[in-house]
Amino acid sequence: MLADMAVSSLSELWREVTAAQPTTPRWLVLTAATVALATVAYRPAWRVARNAVTIAHEGGHALAALLTGRRLSGIRLHADTSGVTVSYGKPYGFGMVLTALAGYVAPSLFGLAGAALLGRGHVTALLWVCVGLLALMLLMLRNFYGLLAVLATGALAFVVSWFADAKVQAAFAYLAVWFLLLGGVRPVFELQWQRRGGRAPNSDADQLGKLTRLPAGLWVFVFVIVALGSMLLGGHWLVPSAFHGTTVAH
């Protein structure tokens, strides 16, 4: 009997997580976009919120390292919103190139994946995926600030997904996705600004330049294309779902 109840509860939870939610009101989607844009544009707010972009950035490095067979040693996140991901394997080749490439494009691509889920109405699923990924990232963190930052972010997503009503969940999910899409753009231009000033000689772009013998500026251009392309495509998936009252087919 207890086993049947447990299976029934798990099945019900799975249906709740994977079910599509009602279409989010247009005003809420656009308000979330406005708040996200203001957060990215306003420097004092950006200094704090940028931690979320750093989590996505280092998570991208870590995921690419694992997918290409490298041995992931650990992740560190710092209070100045910088971070480092250490992995072991060949210091050259496809795995190393993909690992170095993944950082700056990760926030935008995560945002694009989130927009795909929201465009289909899967608000709860998005929140649970975020909680799951952050929980996995906790296992690889190697400093206290990193643990605190990821734990706080994951706890917030969990509380919203578990206790908040549908409208609050939708507002949080849209704000998070818009922030990743918009926030993925600014660090790329900050990177190039730092490189011009000679303050980032060992940036991801410069490492890619050494690995591939292609100009580092070309890799910055790739970062820009991915960030802007993800922002435009993700916005296309998010906004029509609010304007037309239907989920977006893509």
Side-chain angles (χ1 to χ4, degrees), residues 184-245:
V185 177
R186 179 166 176 168
V188 178
F189 288 96
E190 290 178 341
L191 168 65
Q192 184 59 18
W193 180 66
Q194 291 171 351
R195 290 185 66 253
R196 284 185 176 179
R199 289 173 294 164
N202 296 312
S203 70
D204 291 354
D206 290 282
Q207 291 183 44
L208 285 165
K210 294 174 183 177
L211 287 167
T212 63
R213 298 184 181 180
L214 296 173
L218 176 62
W219 289 108
V220 175
F221 180 71
V222 171
F223 297 161
V224 170
I225 293 300
V226 173
L228 292 178
S230 297
M231 182 183 68
L232 293 174
L233 182 57
H236 172 70
W237 288 347
L238 292 173
V239 176
S241 64
F243 275 98
H244 301 310

Side-chain angles (χ1 to χ4, degrees), residues 75 77 137-153:
I75 303 170
L77 305 173
M137 192 172 184
L138 280 172
L139 301 176
M140 298 309 302
L141 289 165
R142 297 294 182 263
N143 68 323
F144 177 75
Y145 182 82
L147 285 169
L148 182 63
V150 173
L151 188 61
T153 305

